[in-house]
Amino acid sequence: MEFEEYASARGQELVRLGFTLSGDYQRAEDLAQIALMQAFRSWRRVRRADDPHTYVRRILVNAYLSMTRRRSFTEAPTADLDADRTVPDPATDIVNSDDLWRALATLSARERVVLVLRYYQDLDDRTIADLLGIKPSSVRATASRALASLRKARESRRVDERLP
């Protein structure tokens, strides 16, 4: 398979994975672009891998984790300077209103990656461990902690809703 074929066949899937990880469409596009650029630079090696898509997906996950370590990752603009020129994406409102999405945002980057790869990408622990460069037991422990955090947040919201 040539790079152009791969990019056209799997590009949107990479953007969706990036969006699921980051929660931001522009960052998702950046992540997919970074992954595709790095894959293009070493396409011979990527093509020789057992599963080229797994290789590129790992590039994207590593780029996301690297991005979350930067100080600029948590910075957010305070004003929309081009409000007149942009057309809001209706999907953004749906995602922002979703309780699960807000709960995922409270997790650490690694916890979020593990849950997204496990439940959204439907990958097994060994594959996730290989993608992240950790042991399968670490994947299970991270998923367990993340799910416990989500349960705790859900319970605290229920208590808050009952208060007058």
Side-chain angles (χ1 to χ4, degrees):
M1 172 183 288
E2 292 304 315
F3 178 78
E4 293 80 13
E5 294 171 28
Y6 174 80
S8 65
R10 298 290 189 133
Q12 286 303 310
E13 184 178 337
L14 292 170
V15 172
R16 283 192 303 273
L17 175 60
F19 182 78
T20 307
L21 292 173
S22 69
D24 182 270
Y25 190 71
Q26 283 75 29
R27 278 196 180 127
E29 288 178 331
D30 290 346
L31 287 167
Q33 184 176 10
I34 289 167
L36 289 171
M37 282 186 338
Q38 290 180 6
F40 178 73
R41 277 191 230 135
S42 56
W43 185 245
R44 287 183 190 146
R45 186 176 15 166
V46 173
R47 190 175 52 204
R48 286 191 308 260
D50 292 337
D51 183 4
H53 186 58
T54 299
Y55 194 104
V56 177
R57 190 168 36 200
R58 181 173 185 166
I59 293 171
L60 188 140
V61 168
N62 287 340
Y64 169 72
L65 290 173
S66 177
M67 185 183 285
T68 61
R69 292 182 194 109
R70 293 186 204 128
R71 182 181 176 123
S72 63
F73 182 77
T74 58
E75 294 176 357
T78 57
D80 189 5
L81 299 177
D82 292 328
D84 297 333
R85 292 188 203 168
T86 60
V87 176
D89 182 13
T92 303
D93 292 333
I94 294 168
V95 170
N96 289 337
S97 66
D98 186 7
D99 288 339
L100 178 61
W101 187 255
R102 280 183 263 152
L104 279 174
T106 65
L107 298 176
S108 71
R110 176 159 290 187
E111 289 172 335
R112 185 185 218 173
V113 166
V114 167
L115 291 184
V116 166
L117 291 175
R118 181 183 268 185
Y119 297 107
Y120 180 74
Q121 293 284 309
D122 199 28
L123 300 178
D124 59 81
D125 293 342
R126 169 135 335 264
T127 306
I128 296 169
D130 290 343
L131 278 169
L132 297 177
I134 58 177
K135 296 178 181 177
S137 60
S138 296
V139 170
R140 290 189 293 277
T142 302
S144 177
R145 279 192 309 274
L147 291 172
S149 295
L150 292 176
R151 281 187 213 101
K152 186 176 179 181
R154 183 173 155 206
E155 289 303 316
S156 68
R157 274 197 310 276
R158 286 183 181 167
V159 170
D160 291 344
E161 289 171 358
R162 285 186 249 155
L163 296 175

